[in-house]
Amino acid sequence: MHDEGEGTPEDLRQAILWYRKAADQGHAAAQYTQYILGNMYHFGKGVPKDYSQAAFWYGKAAEQGHADAQYRLGDSYRFGEGVPKDHGQAVFWYRKAAEQGDAAAQYRLGDSYRFGEGLPKDYSKAVFWYRKAVFWYRKAADAQYRLGDRYYLGDGVPEDKSQAAFWYRKAAEQGHAAAQYWLGYMYAKGEGVPQDDSQTAFWWRKVAEQGDADAQYWLGYRYYLGDGVPEDKSQAAFWYRKAAEQGDADVQCHLGGMYSKGEGVPKDYVRAYAWLNLALAAEQNYRHRLAEERRNTLQERINTLQEHMTVDQIAEAQKLSHELAERIGGGPLSLPLPFEPPQYQSNGSGFIVSDEGHIVTNYHVIENCDRVTVNLAGKMYDAEVATTNADNDLALLKAERALGTPAAFSRSERAPLNSDVTVAGFHVTVAGFPLQGILSKTLNVTRGSVSSEHGLGGNSGKFQLTAPIQGGNSGGPVLDKAGNVVGVVVSKLADKDAQNVNFAIKSQRVRGFLDLNGVSYRRQSSDSEREPERIASMAKGFTVAIYCYHWRRAGCIGRGDAMPSAFSGAALSRMRSPTPHTSFSRRRQNRVVCKDLAFLSQRSLNRAPWTRWS
């Protein structure tokens, strides 16, 4: 009464006191009170948890024939709780309880025969005791499931798929996750039941809702293809995400594909990259040829994604990879990321030539760059290389958006043969960003004059100028007295005896390069002269600093431990085990290479053999 508050206030200490008095004095119901005392000590109810005291009182009750106590004592010996681990003693007490009709003990005895714990392994006797548990215990879903497994595999009984389906269904209807999964599997394969995709989806949804990654994957797959359920990419993505969050590398790869294509989810390169990155991390736990193929394939996917991402997006994706890894439970990523943060290599200059964000610079400024960014007025933008002409040392970039005010090319009626104002003695201004990290990061403007109408060796496509230039000026504009472009800085003579021997590409060559690539640009009269300050102000609106980055390949991310997909179904309500026997995680032995981000038509149940529960 004290332990349940019946007629008196609940007081567990008083309950313990009276139970102990009754047990010590040989009360008529002593075996019951001894069993209750054992439970209180075992579960720490009203007293500190004490397995040795629990085993002591279970033993007292068991010796007087109390079936539940016999079962509990058997468990104490099986798991070494309060007594030395002893499978022989565990079997002795399980059998005592089982012969009195205790279903949990019958189930445990079936386990003992099945695994050869405390007696010789004997599948037929395991089935015998499982059957008894099924008919004696009204909540024996585990026993029903195991009996179904025995019929499916032909262990101890003749193989019989219809009987397997019968017992799986019995357990599945009680919410047993493993039984629901395998019943769905049998409907998918038409084993023991008529093939029925809708029934497969029905049962896999039930187990997916209980958290099994495999079922979540296959349910998502059904929604993706419309097998047994209406085709629904958003539902596919929902279930893939559930499985991916449990560490399934295949699903992480495919989910990354959905984000990269915007299938069932908004297109999101950051999340696509993060999931592919995690899949790549998981593959580091395997060291065989197929794993190497998968790693290479995933690396290619990541490389492709990077071509469409900004530096900030990649950094965000890598951070998200680590956050997801922590959330999944694999701990922080322990190896370097597939690509460390972009390594700055060099810089140059360029200028905007169109309203669409086209930028002209030198080819040698962006040669071999994995990533190019441009800075205009203190703001950084990503740019891609639209086209190049290595022979003329020209490159055309396309910024992620329209920038600034495009520069205008010079047009003067007084220029010889309309060849731009690049005659000897003509004053010019050079704008650019030289010696980044040493000089100021703001625009640098120098003045000089055209000293020769030809470049080094008499090159007619270039001219020589005296305006001082340094490393980083390459690709910047050379402006005439009106602030219009007459050339592109390209090089300087590296000779200790040469002073201010610098060269630029004539704007004729640049305009021809733009014409060839269909870029519209502005031309403006140079007949009116502007003040140097005004020219410098104009240059700030179209001259950009260009930064070249290299990605340093540093191997793939990984972790010390794998991120396995596992799930434990419901156990018998009275059973306790550190490793529930209803676990039915199936390791993929021949895992599918994520070759096609558009999806899974190549993956089937036949290609994903499972290691059944054993």
Side-chain angles (χ1 to χ4, degrees), residues 490-614:
V490 66
S491 62
K492 64 184 294 182
L493 187 61
D495 190 302
K496 64 180 180 178
D497 296 324
Q499 299 294 323
N500 271 352
V501 181
N502 308 315
F503 301 96
I505 304 167
K506 290 181 178 178
S507 60
Q508 282 177 301
R509 292 285 177 92
V510 182
R511 288 188 285 108
F513 174 62
L514 296 176
D515 290 337
L516 186 64
N517 289 285
V519 177
S520 299
Y521 53 87
R522 296 168 55 203
R523 296 197 69 187
Q524 192 166 280
S525 173
S526 292
D527 293 336
S528 298
E529 187 172 348
R530 288 188 170 93
E531 293 294 325
E533 294 83 359
R534 175 58 179 154
I535 293 174
S537 178
M538 291 170 58
K540 287 181 181 179
F542 54 71
T543 309
V544 299
I546 296 175
Y547 299 95
C548 174
Y549 296 88
H550 272 192
W551 296 101
R552 186 170 68 191
R553 275 68 176 174
C556 303
I557 59 175
R559 67 181 94 262
D561 299 318
M563 294 186 293
S565 166
F567 176 79
S568 297
L572 282 168
S573 60
R574 296 176 58 197
M575 300 185 65
R576 47 192 170 78
S577 167
T579 306
H581 291 288
T582 49
S583 174
F584 63 104
S585 172
R586 275 78 174 180
R587 307 288 184 187
R588 294 184 180 87
Q589 304 299 309
N590 182 21
R591 299 164 68 248
V592 177
V593 179
C594 181
K595 290 184 175 179
D596 183 8
L597 292 182
F599 266 73
L600 306 161
S601 58
Q602 298 302 311
R603 179 168 173 173
S604 68
L605 285 170
N606 288 329
R607 293 193 60 189
W610 310 96
T611 301
R612 291 181 61 81
W613 168 88
S614 61

Side-chain angles (χ1 to χ4, degrees), residues 309-316 341-342 371-373 382 549 551:
M309 297 172 69
T310 66
V311 173
D312 289 343
Q313 284 176 324
I314 292 172
E316 182 184 352
R371 180 71 54 180
V372 176
T373 63
D382 269 88
Y549 296 88
W551 296 101

Side-chain angles (χ1 to χ4, degrees), residues 7 104 109 137-138 149 186 190 209 251 258 265 272 280 320 358 368 457 483-484 486 532 551 560:
L109 193 55
Y137 192 42
R138 62 180 179 178
D149 250 9
M186 295 185 78
E209 289 170 348
V251 185
M258 294 191 80
V265 291
L280 188 58
L320 181 58
H358 290 99
N368 298 322
N484 297 324
V486 293
W551 296 101

Side-chain angles (χ1 to χ4, degrees), residues 208-446:
E209 289 170 348
Q210 295 191 55
D212 179 66
D214 288 329
Q216 289 165 347
Y217 166 79
W218 286 112
L219 185 59
Y221 176 73
R222 295 269 163 177
Y223 273 113
Y224 191 90
L225 298 179
D227 283 353
V229 290
E231 182 179 322
D232 189 331
K233 296 293 195 294
S234 62
Q235 276 291 300
F238 173 82
W239 290 110
Y240 283 140
R241 189 181 303 108
K242 291 281 190 184
E245 288 172 351
Q246 296 194 58
D248 189 308
D250 284 339
V251 185
Q252 289 168 349
C253 178
H254 297 313
L255 183 59
M258 294 191 80
Y259 274 112
S260 72
K261 293 178 177 292
E263 291 187 307
V265 291
K267 183 179 288 189
D268 188 332
Y269 290 146
V270 169
R271 292 190 179 278
Y273 184 112
W275 284 115
L276 290 173
N277 217 14
L278 277 184
L280 188 58
E283 291 299 335
Q284 302 315 301
N285 297 296
Y286 300 93
R287 295 289 183 269
H288 51 76
R289 183 181 58 80
L290 284 177
E292 184 177 355
E293 288 182 19
R294 289 194 291 271
R295 286 193 291 271
N296 292 338
T297 300
L298 285 163
Q299 190 70 76
E300 290 172 8
R301 301 303 184 198
I302 292 173
N303 293 350
T304 300
L305 271 180
Q306 286 190 125
E307 296 174 3
H308 304 284
M309 297 172 69
T310 66
V311 173
D312 289 343
Q313 284 176 324
I314 292 172
E316 182 184 352
Q318 291 172 340
K319 180 182 178 183
L320 181 58
S321 293
H322 282 258
E323 291 174 354
L324 288 170
E326 294 271 10
R327 191 186 313 162
I328 287 169
L333 301 179
S334 58
L335 299 180
L337 292 162
F339 293 91
E340 292 184 351
Q343 304 296 306
Y344 167 73
Q345 177 183 326
S346 59
N347 72 281
S349 303
F351 57 98
I352 302 164
V353 295
S354 80
D355 292 324
E356 287 76 40
H358 290 99
I359 297 167
V360 167
T361 188
N362 291 139
Y363 171 73
H364 75 260
V365 170
I366 53 83
E367 184 179 9
N368 298 322
C369 296
D370 289 313
R371 180 71 54 180
V372 176
T373 63
V374 300
N375 188 311
L376 177 67
K379 293 185 178 180
M380 195 72 75
Y381 304 91
D382 269 88
E384 60 182 18
V385 179
T387 187
T388 62
N389 184 323
D391 292 336
N392 287 318
D393 202 356
L394 289 171
L396 182 67
L397 308 181
K398 180 72 164 58
E400 61 183 280
R401 46 163 290 185
L403 303 176
T405 303
F409 287 90
S410 173
R411 179 173 60 204
S412 174
E413 301 302 328
R414 296 199 296 258
L417 300 176
N418 197 28
S419 61
D420 302 331
V421 190
T422 53
V423 295
F426 213 86
H427 292 293
V428 291
T429 299
V430 169
F433 296 87
L435 302 178
Q436 291 283 291
I438 299 176
L439 300 181
S440 169
K441 292 186 177 182
T442 58
L443 183 68
N444 188 288
V445 178
T446 60

